Amino acid sequence: MPILDSYTSVVTGLFVRLQIDEYRTTSSSAYSSQILKFSDYDSSVIINGESYTPLGEFLSVTSSTSELRPSENPVTIALSGIPTNSINEIVHSKIKGSPIQIWRGYFTTAGVQIGDFTGRFIGSVNNYSIQEEFDIESRTSSHMLMLECASSVG
């Protein structure tokens, strides 16, 4: 973890890497391997040569407790604002069991990275759910994908 004593304020970012080995966009298309990389940070960041797409407030990750030893505490990741036409990709892909990693980065308020990225979670997707909110007045809907992730420590 970087030393943050000399900074008056810092910004953190969480960077999620989800590897789906059996990904497809329709029920009749062939499976392919797909790696999805996204973050709650406000700009693109490259980690190990891979660019992470900024989702900002559309991504939330449950909080964790700091412990001296690795623990098997689960993590839930919520992706909101998913377009209706992208739901097929979720339904027709095999997300359960997919490996997932979450990295944390520290930045100055000017966007300069402080230290290296640290691992926050390594595990796999245990289950997922899709939630829909429908606005009757505007006749529009928005979707949220909830990923329940089990730690590889357990």
Side-chain angles (χ1 to χ4, degrees):
M1 182 163 163
I3 299 172
L4 304 174
D5 293 345
S6 61
Y7 299 95
T8 56
S9 63
V10 294
V11 178
T12 65
L14 294 175
F15 302 88
V16 179
R17 183 182 193 273
L18 174 61
Q19 179 180 331
I20 303 173
D21 292 330
E22 295 185 42
Y23 180 87
R24 62 182 177 180
T25 56
T26 65
S27 61
S28 60
S29 62
Y31 286 113
S32 64
S33 182
Q34 182 80 9
I35 299 175
L36 305 175
K37 300 166 297 285
F38 44 88
S39 75
D40 65 352
Y41 193 60
D42 61 359
S43 61
S44 293
V45 172
I46 295 177
I47 302 174
N48 297 329
E50 298 178 322
S51 180
Y52 285 73
T53 304
L55 297 180
E57 294 180 9
F58 291 114
L59 170 68
S60 68
V61 179
T62 55
S63 60
S64 62
T65 57
S66 295
E67 300 177 33
L68 293 176
R69 297 176 188 226
S71 70
E72 58 184 63
N73 292 335
V75 165
T76 300
I77 299 170
L79 295 163
S80 59
I82 297 174
T84 303
N85 57 352
S86 296
I87 297 300
N88 284 335
E89 295 178 34
I90 298 167
V91 173
H92 297 300
S93 298
K94 295 185 179 180
I95 298 175
K96 286 185 182 181
S98 296
I100 192 163
Q101 298 174 346
I102 303 174
W103 301 91
R104 180 181 309 219
Y106 295 90
F107 303 87
T108 65
T109 53
V112 178
Q113 184 180 338
I114 304 169
D116 292 329
F117 292 96
T118 57
R120 178 172 180 250
F121 182 84
I122 297 175
S124 61
V125 177
N126 195 34
N127 204 359
Y128 73 92
S129 63
I130 302 170
Q131 298 175 1
E132 179 184 23
E133 288 186 23
F134 185 73
D135 185 358
I136 296 172
E137 292 178 11
S138 67
R139 296 193 171 270
T140 59
S141 64
S142 64
H143 299 89
M144 181 184 309
L145 173 64
M146 304 287 289
L147 300 173
E148 298 171 19
C149 305
S151 174
S152 62
V153 172

